[in-house]
Amino acid sequence: QVQLVESGGGLVQPGGSLRLSCAASGSIFRLINMQWYRQAPEKEREWVATITSSGSTYYKDSVKGRFTISRDNVKNTMYLQMNSLKAEDTAVYYCKMVAVGPREYWGQGTQVSVTS
């Protein structure tokens, strides 16, 4: 089975940067898109960004201009570059890969904490 392993989370001050990585244990057949979600304590999980198989990107309004989603098909890895981080960005971040089937794969989550 395919496993998604996340890394790159941590503690950072407001205005700082982090880059999250999400690596699949193997290639995913007929991959449609890759996505990032996040969930703050006692809040619903929310969508953050998407990159499609054709390379189109979409972002939640509150992160536009600050976050960048990208992928490396050779490494079966997706990334989320987060700049100008704010306290409200604090959450557990989850990666998701969607394939034809429909099939979905989720990462285990990585904690991002933005504090002074």
Side-chain angles (χ1 to χ4, degrees):
Q1 292 185 335
V2 174
Q3 181 179 2
L4 304 186
V5 180
E6 299 184 37
S7 62
L11 182 66
V12 66
Q13 294 184 351
S17 298
L18 286 173
R19 189 179 79 155
L20 306 183
S21 298
C22 175
S25 60
S27 62
I28 298 176
F29 185 61
R30 293 185 176 180
L31 182 66
I32 297 173
N33 61 52
M34 301 176 175
Q35 302 172 16
W36 286 98
Y37 287 76
R38 68 186 182 187
Q39 187 168 20
E42 301 183 350
K43 297 291 186 66
E44 293 185 350
R45 186 172 299 185
E46 63 180 4
W47 168 80
V48 176
T50 293
I51 183 166
T52 70
S53 59
S54 63
S56 298
T57 58
Y58 306 90
Y59 298 92
K60 177 180 174 66
D61 285 344
S62 63
V63 309
K64 287 181 178 178
R66 300 189 297 119
F67 290 11
T68 302
I69 186 171
S70 62
R71 70 184 194 277
D72 185 333
N73 291 332
V74 174
K75 296 182 178 180
N76 299 317
T77 301
M78 61 185 291
Y79 307 93
L80 185 68
Q81 178 66 47
M82 304 184 294
N83 299 324
S84 302
L85 283 163
K86 305 174 181 179
E88 50 263 43
D89 295 319
T90 296
V92 176
Y93 284 71
Y94 299 90
C95 60
K96 175 185 177 182
M97 297 189 183
V98 182
V100 171
R103 292 172 289 133
E104 295 183 354
Y105 306 91
W106 288 88
Q108 82 283 0
T110 185
Q111 178 70 50
V112 172
S113 298
V114 186
T115 59
S116 300

